[in-house]
Amino acid sequence: MAVLPSTPSSLTSRLNTLDLGASVVGVRFLGGAAGFVLGNGEIVLAERSEETRVRAHKGAVLSVAGDARRILTGGDDGRVVAVRGDGSVETLAEQKGRWIDQVATANDGAFAFSAGKTAHFRPVKGDAKSLDLPSTVGGLAFAPKGTRLAVAHYGGVTLWFPNAQAKPEVLEWKGSHRGVVWHPEGRFVVTTMQEATLHGWRLPDGANMRMSGYPSRVRSLEFTAGGRFLATSGSAEVILWPFGSKEGPMGKQPVMLAPRDVRVSCVATHPKDEVFACGYEDGLVLMVRIADGAEILLRAPTGSPVTALAFRADGGALALGDEAGKAGLLSF
């Protein structure tokens, strides 16, 4: 380790702090501005010392996704809303009387959302599509090419080509699947589960991959640049599962970095380098280099769990937020 976690760094003093007044449930960058999504339905766009606050939902935000042009949110007011960097707000879809549990975006501008047991797909051009699932949708994620959608639910994951006539493919595994991510090369799909474990499938042959040993449920996970590791929360250190080979992590031990006596609550991976940021349940935030485990302190403990972390697309800035509404923006 390069420094002890409690040792202030040159970056600690450069963190631009914000008091947003409500719990931060997600953050995405739109160009140079960080968009902090608050649980009360507001979004705060922050860049340097300027802040713009917009109202996206009448109630609570239940899900967050985004791309380079917009932040998408789903709320308990039954709406899917897009917020752009200029502060404009647009309702993209509405399901009156329903909750929008999940949202996902594709690189071409298509998006998907779910309400109860139904997943909805909205292409840039063409007809909207929907798919009924056997239980409430727990997670949605587009494959890297954006043509296939993974839908997590009780009993496994359904892989769906919305624009094809082919029957959706079901990958089965008992239990409640609450979130889903694709490997950057599309070779694996991994879900978070209700219990303290992950489950994955190797898509070429459908092999199952069970990743266990967590003391608590995994709520945050992200592949590193190039997909060599999957960084995960849920323990008192960041657990990185090896996905560099075609077999995935089967039969291999994970790498464990940034150990403390407090659990990791959120992780975010750098878009270009094998570096990640991690936040803990006491509010401390570190940046860690995977090659040698070197740590650098970004924020000292605040007493509130870190709930949102995101790097800017060029890797030159990091945004963070916590349950108490305290946030930060740091340029490297």
Side-chain angles (χ1 to χ4, degrees):
M1 301 178 188
V3 295
L4 293 174
S6 60
T7 304
S9 71
S10 59
L11 293 176
T12 311
S13 60
R14 289 165 54 186
L15 181 69
N16 179 26
T17 60
L18 306 94
D19 188 353
L20 301 179
S23 176
V24 182
V25 297
V27 63
R28 299 287 188 281
F29 274 93
L30 296 172
F36 295 94
V37 181
L38 308 184
N40 65 4
E42 295 180 313
I43 295 180
V44 178
L45 301 171
E47 185 171 12
R48 298 184 180 88
S49 60
E50 297 181 2
E51 292 183 28
T52 301
R53 186 177 292 253
V54 299
R55 167 67 61 182
H57 294 274
K58 298 174 184 175
V61 175
L62 304 178
S63 51
V64 181
D67 54 37
R69 300 175 298 277
R70 58 190 182 171
I71 297 172
L72 260 63
T73 52
D76 66 1
D77 58 358
R79 296 186 304 132
V80 179
V81 173
V83 173
R84 295 179 173 79
D86 61 2
S88 62
V89 179
E90 179 185 6
T91 299
L92 299 180
E94 187 164 8
Q95 299 270 306
K96 289 186 177 179
R98 308 291 301 277
W99 288 7
I100 306 300
D101 302 307
Q102 305 294 332
V103 291
T105 58
N107 292 332
D108 67 351
F111 68 95
F113 65 96
S114 71
K117 298 180 181 179
T118 305
H120 301 270
F121 170 71
R122 296 286 188 274
V124 177
K125 296 180 181 179
D127 298 330
K129 307 285 177 57
S130 63
L131 179 69
D132 292 327
L133 284 304
S135 65
T136 299
V137 175
L140 284 175
F142 280 96
K145 293 182 179 179
T147 57
R148 202 176 195 188
L149 193 62
V151 187
H153 49 78
Y154 187 86
V157 167
T158 295
L159 303 183
W160 178 33
F161 284 106
N163 288 321
Q165 297 297 321
K167 185 179 179 180
E169 178 185 3
V170 180
L171 304 174
E172 297 182 347
W173 189 261
K174 289 182 179 179
S176 182
H177 299 258
R178 303 298 301 272
V180 59
V181 295
W182 288 84
H183 185 269
E185 296 178 349
R187 294 185 285 118
F188 307 95
V189 168
V190 178
T191 62
T192 61
M193 301 194 68
Q194 179 65 35
E195 57 265 36
T197 186
L198 302 177
H199 194 80
W201 290 267
R202 197 170 60 194
L203 297 185
D205 61 4
N208 290 287
M209 301 179 295
R210 189 169 185 268
M211 290 157 274
S212 60
Y214 293 91
S216 65
R217 184 181 152 197
V218 178
R219 299 177 185 274
S220 178
L221 72 170
E222 202 166 279
F223 278 102
T224 58
R228 200 157 74 97
F229 294 101
L230 177 64
T232 64
S233 69
S235 187
E237 61 271 297
V238 174
I239 296 179
L240 299 113
W241 295 97
F243 278 83
S245 69
K246 63 181 181 180
E247 291 82 15
M250 295 173 69
K252 303 182 180 70
Q253 293 296 317
V255 176
M256 293 180 281
L257 297 176
R260 294 186 65 219
D261 56 359
V262 179
R263 287 179 185 171
V264 177
S265 57
C266 198
V267 296
T269 57
H270 192 278
K272 297 180 179 179
D273 301 320
E274 285 196 339
V275 170
F276 64 82
C278 57
Y280 296 80
E281 289 183 345
D282 64 354
L284 183 140
V285 179
L286 296 175
M287 190 162 64
V288 183
R289 186 169 58 207
I290 295 175
D292 57 2
E295 304 169 356
I296 188 165
L297 180 69
L298 301 184
R299 189 178 79 164
T302 61
S304 179
V306 177
T307 51
L309 285 170
F311 280 96
R312 200 170 63 196
D314 64 359
L318 177 77
L320 60 94
D322 66 26
E323 197 171 276
K326 307 297 183 185
L329 188 55
L330 175 65
S331 296
F332 305 119

